[in-house]
């Protein structure tokens, strides 16, 4: 348990988020250049609507430039995820376009770690020759999951005949995707406005919410609703809640089972909704009734009466309530039991009928675009590789569209990859077991990095190709799903800062043509976007002007029931697909892979409000916030620090079988006694590849490369560390 019970009144102003926003000064409403701009006839002022790149949400952003340089920006009022606001990442990441550390020309490695400038023609020709002489099954492409040009990257790999296309899904959302596709078959989104009760489960594992959701949750409290944060750590985002309930890390599953068991044993669930929309509920209930609040209290450390209070609060508020499921957090890839945790989040909301009502989970309507939408005379059918991707098929529950990047790294160590292309992907900083990953990447015969900065991975590459920033390019038409789903478009905002940089899609087209596969890429970006617009029923000109457009026929009707695209056509309370490994057709308790003993602590992590992965360090403004707030510190509970003889500000060593790192410590009452929190944004695999952004300790140096055997999700928090004061 924490050192003291904290409620909203005692922690509302405690977080760094408020200070982080203040630290920007006028950035959100002022320019990023050193000059003091003055509105006048001597300056050309232009407006453009685009999408943010501070995180994968791609919130709508309105921008103004003066003389081609960014001047002002804000969230688009009519974007469903923004509502006129940007998060701290969105505000600060704009600075990356003007960073002095940006790559400006193609670079070639001499094999000794020294880079020299080469022409685009020379780089593309050499890279293409290496690809052409390699068996496609030994070529892989790694791309950041937030990229807007995945269509080009995946089509490129299909044209090559390689299935080895990877994002970092197994390290973020794998269990969530697996759970949704098997249990519901349709994707939910929170609709906080109008809610009477919200349980924010594990928000600290990804410290942030969409700007529009933040606004809605604030109104929930103002209107008398109750917001509870159930979490092993209280981060800045905890200011959104009325109360913090500190749960033992990794035992969120036990908390959920206890809540569901109490609802079942006291007939507090929505029987009519379950009967009409559920399959296998009797088998589910028989299993879950055994997990009551007393059992859950013993597991979680949360008082039994508090578990009962939360369960009954949800029941009283239903269906205008929900238990939140944090996307991109380690709920989706955290522990040995995370797949079961996700399943229970889905089924707990289903028990209460919290679907397509005001203030609960909604299932937005979205268009489906298949191959039939593409004119075959323009978009020549490319087919799909005959072989499976490296690592495919090992995990029976794995989400079918997500290849296993961890398995690809292991295969690289065994000599399975001859060529690897990294598009905005930085495995040496963002993948588990950093030292091992560095060795695996070094074992790949030929490497190309496409990025805006000399990342840790780029420093090991044979070629580094510079891409334009997100503010300088147009993207591919996408969607933002909400009660009214809209089509969105990333539009160019500023004049190109460095003339030798290129958009990623153009780099891919250049490579394709040099590989002799140009027949599959005869279309232009505009033709691709026009095709999507026609399928969505929206105007491309409107998207270029406004950044978004409502999609006809995609307006949700509250009170409707989603179409569950599952095997039974209903909510799978009992799901045979889960009857593999240690899992069963119905939810059960699954023990963690590692349990603290002999003074060890569980190492937990989570993205901060002003950082995501390691790419946001490219913004000097976000990096300065991290330094000003000493955000690279490791958190340890006050009670645990007293046992270890550690004081706030001491330098400590965290170590396990994977390695050791040193960091200054933050002694606090805002974390569970059994945990040590280390942010994932800082440090690097080794001093030899430390970049200009490198400071602090590497979280990934301590995390074991491991996966849930059923789903393949990375178990990023099923990791123990020993902590000691340096010099003691």
């Amino acid at each position: 348990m924490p050192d003291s019970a904290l409620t909203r009144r005692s922690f509302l102003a405690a977080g760094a988020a408020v200070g982080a926003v203040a630290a920007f000064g006028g950035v959100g409403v002022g320019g990023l250049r050193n000059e003091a701009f003055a509105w006048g006839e001597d300056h050309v002022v232009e407006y453009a609507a685009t999408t943010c790149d501070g995180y994968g949400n791609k919130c709508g952003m309105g921008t103004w430039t003066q003389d081609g340089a960014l001047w002002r920006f804000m969230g688009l009022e009519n974007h469903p995820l923004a509502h006129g606001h940007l998060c701290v990442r969105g505000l600060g990441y704009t600075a990356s376009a003007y960073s002095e550390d940006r790559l400006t020309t193609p670079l070639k490695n001499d094999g000794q770690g020294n880079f020299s400038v080469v022409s685009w023609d020379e780089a593309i020709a050499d890279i293409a020759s290496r690809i052409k002489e390699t068996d496609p099954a030994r070529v892989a492409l790694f791309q950041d999951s937030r990229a807007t040009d995945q269509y080009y990257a995946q089509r490129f790999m299909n044209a090559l005949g390689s299935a080895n296309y990877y994002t970092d899904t197994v390290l973020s959302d794998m269990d969530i995707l697996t759970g949704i596709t098997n249990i519901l078959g349709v994707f939910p989104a929170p609709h906080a406005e109008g809610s009477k009760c919200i349980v924010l489960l594990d928000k600290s594992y990804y410290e942030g919410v969409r700007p529009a959701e933040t606004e809605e949750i604030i109104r929930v409290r103002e209107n008398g609703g109750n917001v509870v944060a159930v979490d092993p750590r209280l981060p800045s985002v905890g200011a959104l809640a009325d109360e913090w309930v500190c749960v033992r890390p990794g035992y969120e599953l036990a908390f959920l089972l206890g809540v569901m068991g109490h609802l079942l044993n006291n007939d507090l669930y929505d029987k009519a909704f379950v009967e009409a929309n559920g399959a296998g509920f009797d088998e589910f209930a028989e299993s879950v009734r055994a997990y009551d609040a007393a059992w859950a209290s013993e597991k979680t450390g949360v008082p039994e009466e508090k578990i009962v209070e939360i369960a009954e609060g949800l029941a009283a508020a239903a269906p205008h309530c929900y238990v939140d499921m944090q996307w991109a957090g380690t709920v989706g890839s955290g522990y040995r039991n995370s797949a079961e945790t996700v399943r229970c989040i889905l089924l707990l909301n289903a028990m209460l009928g919290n679907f397509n009502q005001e203030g609960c989970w909604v299932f937005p309507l979205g268009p489906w675009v298949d191959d039939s939408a593409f004119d075959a005379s323009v978009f020549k059918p490319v087919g799909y590789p005959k072989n499976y991707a490296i690592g495919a098929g090992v995990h029976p529950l794995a989400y079918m569209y997500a290849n296993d990047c961890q398995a690809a790294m292991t295969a690289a160590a065994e000599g399975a990859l001859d060529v690897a292309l990294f598009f905005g992907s930085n495995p040496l900083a963002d993948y588990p077991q950093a030292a091992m990953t560095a060795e695996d990447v070094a074992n790949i015969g030929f490497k190309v990095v496409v990025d805006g900065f000399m990342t840790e991975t780029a420093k090991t590459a044979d070629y580094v190709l510079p891409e334009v920033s997100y503010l300088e390019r147009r993207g591919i038409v996408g969607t933002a799903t909400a009660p009214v789903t809209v089509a969105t478009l990333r539009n160019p905002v500023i004049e190109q800062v460095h003339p030798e940089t290129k958009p990623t899609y153009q780099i891919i087209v250049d490579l394709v043509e040099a590989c002799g596969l140009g027949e599959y890429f005869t279309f232009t970006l505009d033709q691709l976007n026009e095709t999507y617009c026609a399928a969505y029923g929206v105007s491309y000109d409107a998207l270029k002007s406004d950044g978004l457009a409502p999609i006809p026929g995609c307006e949700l009707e509250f009170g409707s029931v989603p179409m569950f695209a599952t095997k039974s056509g209903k909510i799978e309370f009992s799901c045979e697909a889960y009857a593999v490994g240690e899992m069963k057709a119905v939810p059960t308790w699954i023990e963690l892979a590692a349990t603290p003993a002999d003074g060890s602590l569980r190492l937990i992590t989570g993205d901060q409000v002003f950082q995501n992965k390691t790419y946001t360090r490219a913004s000097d403004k976000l990096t300065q916030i991290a330094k000003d707030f000493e955000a690279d510190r490791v958190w340890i509970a006050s009670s645990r620090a007293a046992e270890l003889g550690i004081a706030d500000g001491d330098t400590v060593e965290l170590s396990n079988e994977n390695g050791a790192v040193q960091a200054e410590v933050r002694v606090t009452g805002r974390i569970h006694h059994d945990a040590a929190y280390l942010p994932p944004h800082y440090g690097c695999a080794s001093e030899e590849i430390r970049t200009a952004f490198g400071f602090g300790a590497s979280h990934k140096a301590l995390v074991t490369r491991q996966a849930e055997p059923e789903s393949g999700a990375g178990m990023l928090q099923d990791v123990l560390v020993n902590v000691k004061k340096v010099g003691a």
Side-chain angles (χ1 to χ4, degrees), residues 415-449:
L417 292 180
D418 291 334
V419 175
L421 310 172
F422 299 94
F423 285 80
S425 177
N426 188 13
L428 268 67
D430 292 326
Y431 284 15
Q433 221 153 335
M436 178 187 292
T437 298
E439 294 176 1
D440 297 344
V441 170
N443 203 42
I444 299 172
F446 184 76
K447 300 178 287 293
V448 178
V449 167

Side-chain angles (χ1 to χ4, degrees), residues 169-257:
T169 298
V170 299
L171 304 178
S172 55
D173 301 325
M174 178 61 88
D175 280 331
I176 295 173
L177 293 168
T178 295
I180 289 173
T181 53
N182 282 286
I183 303 303
L184 302 179
V186 59
F187 283 68
H191 184 258
E193 190 167 3
S195 185
K196 298 177 182 178
C197 180
I198 300 174
V199 175
L200 299 175
L201 182 68
D202 289 340
K203 276 295 188 191
S204 73
Y205 291 173
Y206 162 61
E207 189 180 346
V209 290
R210 296 166 173 172
E213 186 184 357
T214 302
E215 183 181 61
E216 292 172 354
I217 291 174
I218 290 171
R219 283 203 292 267
V220 168
R221 290 209 322 255
E222 291 174 345
N223 294 332
N226 188 41
V227 181
V228 181
V230 178
D231 210 300
R233 181 175 72 95
L234 180 65
S236 303
V237 74
L240 293 174
D242 294 286
E243 179 183 10
W244 173 40
V245 176
C246 187
V247 63
R248 182 174 292 124
Y251 288 82
E252 291 85 349
L253 171 60
F255 168 80
L256 294 166
L257 287 169

Side-chain angles (χ1 to χ4, degrees), residues 202 205 231-233 246-252 299-300 335 592 594 596 602-604 671-676 717:
D202 289 340
Y205 291 173
D231 210 300
R233 181 175 72 95
C246 187
V247 63
R248 182 174 292 124
Y251 288 82
E252 291 85 349
K299 287 283 188 182
T300 63
Y335 301 102
L592 279 70
R602 183 173 301 283
L603 182 67
I604 65 173
I671 189 170
H672 195 280
H673 180 82
D674 290 346
Q717 300 195 127

Side-chain angles (χ1 to χ4, degrees), residues 673-692:
H673 180 82
D674 290 346
Y677 163 77
L678 188 64
H681 319 292
Y682 312 108
C684 61
S686 68
E687 289 298 322
E688 289 74 23
I689 57 172
R690 183 177 289 274
T691 68

Side-chain angles (χ1 to χ4, degrees), residues 47 62 67 184 307 385 624:
Y47 171 81
D67 303 331
L184 302 179
I307 295 173
Q624 191 58 52

Side-chain angles (χ1 to χ4, degrees), residues 259-442:
V259 169
M260 291 194 299
H262 185 79
L263 295 175
L264 286 166
N265 290 323
N266 292 275
D267 291 330
L268 295 175
Y269 61 95
D270 190 331
K271 298 182 181 66
F273 182 86
V274 166
E275 183 175 349
N277 300 289
F281 185 79
D282 290 342
E283 296 90 338
F284 161 83
E286 183 179 357
S287 174
V288 175
R289 285 185 192 279
Y291 303 105
D292 59 13
W295 173 88
S297 176
E298 183 178 349
K299 287 283 188 182
T300 63
V302 177
E304 179 181 351
E305 58 270 21
K306 179 57 65 177
I307 295 173
V308 170
E309 178 186 321
I310 293 172
E312 296 185 353
L314 286 167
H320 307 292
C321 64
Y322 63 92
V323 177
D324 187 56
M325 182 172 63
Q326 183 56 65
W327 282 90
T330 47
V331 166
S333 296
Y335 301 102
R336 175 65 187 87
N337 59 19
S338 286
E340 197 72 283
T341 299
V342 168
R343 176 160 60 156
C344 287
I345 295 173
L346 301 174
L347 294 180
L348 173 52
N349 283 295
M351 287 176 64
L352 297 171
N354 297 339
F355 290 177
N356 281 358
Q357 304 286 339
E358 293 278 0
C360 67
W361 271 6
V362 296
F363 295 80
L365 303 175
W368 175 257
V369 180
D370 59 21
D371 291 342
S372 65
F374 294 84
D375 184 346
S377 66
V378 179
F379 301 88
K380 181 177 179 178
V382 67
Y384 298 97
K386 296 180 180 179
N387 297 323
Y388 290 107
I390 293 172
V394 175
H395 306 287
L397 263 183
Y399 179 63
M400 63 180 298
Y401 299 111
N403 290 335
D404 190 343
C405 64
Q406 292 195 117
M409 285 292 117
T410 300
E414 299 168 354
L417 292 180
D418 291 334
V419 175
L421 310 172
F422 299 94
F423 285 80
S425 177
N426 188 13
L428 268 67
D430 292 326
Y431 284 15
Q433 221 153 335
M436 178 187 292
T437 298
E439 294 176 1
D440 297 344
V441 170

Side-chain angles (χ1 to χ4, degrees), residues 316-578:
H320 307 292
C321 64
Y322 63 92
V323 177
D324 187 56
M325 182 172 63
Q326 183 56 65
W327 282 90
T330 47
V331 166
S333 296
Y335 301 102
R336 175 65 187 87
N337 59 19
S338 286
E340 197 72 283
T341 299
V342 168
R343 176 160 60 156
C344 287
I345 295 173
L346 301 174
L347 294 180
L348 173 52
N349 283 295
M351 287 176 64
L352 297 171
N354 297 339
F355 290 177
N356 281 358
Q357 304 286 339
E358 293 278 0
C360 67
W361 271 6
V362 296
F363 295 80
L365 303 175
W368 175 257
V369 180
D370 59 21
D371 291 342
S372 65
F374 294 84
D375 184 346
S377 66
V378 179
F379 301 88
K380 181 177 179 178
V382 67
Y384 298 97
K386 296 180 180 179
N387 297 323
Y388 290 107
I390 293 172
V394 175
H395 306 287
L397 263 183
Y399 179 63
M400 63 180 298
Y401 299 111
N403 290 335
D404 190 343
C405 64
Q406 292 195 117
M409 285 292 117
T410 300
E414 299 168 354
L417 292 180
D418 291 334
V419 175
L421 310 172
F422 299 94
F423 285 80
S425 177
N426 188 13
L428 268 67
D430 292 326
Y431 284 15
Q433 221 153 335
M436 178 187 292
T437 298
E439 294 176 1
D440 297 344
V441 170
N443 203 42
I444 299 172
F446 184 76
K447 300 178 287 293
V448 178
V449 167
V450 178
D451 210 302
F453 297 87
M454 185 61 81
T455 64
E456 289 85 352
T457 304
K459 293 184 75 171
T460 71
D462 295 278
Y463 281 96
V464 182
L465 305 181
E467 63 176 354
V468 298
S469 73
Y470 73 103
L471 295 174
E472 301 168 88
R473 64 180 173 87
R474 178 158 284 130
I476 298 175
V477 172
T479 61
T481 53
V484 177
T485 296
V486 300
T488 63
L489 180 65
R490 174 167 293 158
N491 289 304
V493 172
I494 62 176
E495 294 179 357
Q496 191 163 330
V497 179
H498 302 292
E500 284 294 300
T501 57
K502 292 186 178 185
T504 296
Y505 79 86
Q506 186 60 59
I507 296 172
I508 292 173
V509 170
D510 291 346
L511 280 173
V512 165
E513 292 177 348
C515 288
L517 299 169
E519 62 189 299
Y520 297 109
F521 286 82
T522 58
F523 56 88
T524 66
L525 177 64
D526 283 341
Q527 286 176 304
L528 177 60
N529 280 335
E530 289 279 13
T531 299
Y532 277 112
C533 285
Y536 295 160
V538 300
S539 164
Y540 189 29
D541 287 337
L543 289 181
K544 288 191 283 189
S545 172
D546 303 331
L548 57 81
I551 299 176
C554 288
E555 183 172 349
L556 177 71
E557 179 183 350
F558 285 105
S560 62
V561 177
M563 293 182 63
F564 301 108
T566 60
K567 186 176 181 180
S568 66
K570 295 188 175 185
I571 302 165
E572 299 277 347
F573 282 95
S574 177
C575 182
E576 288 302 321
Y578 277 77

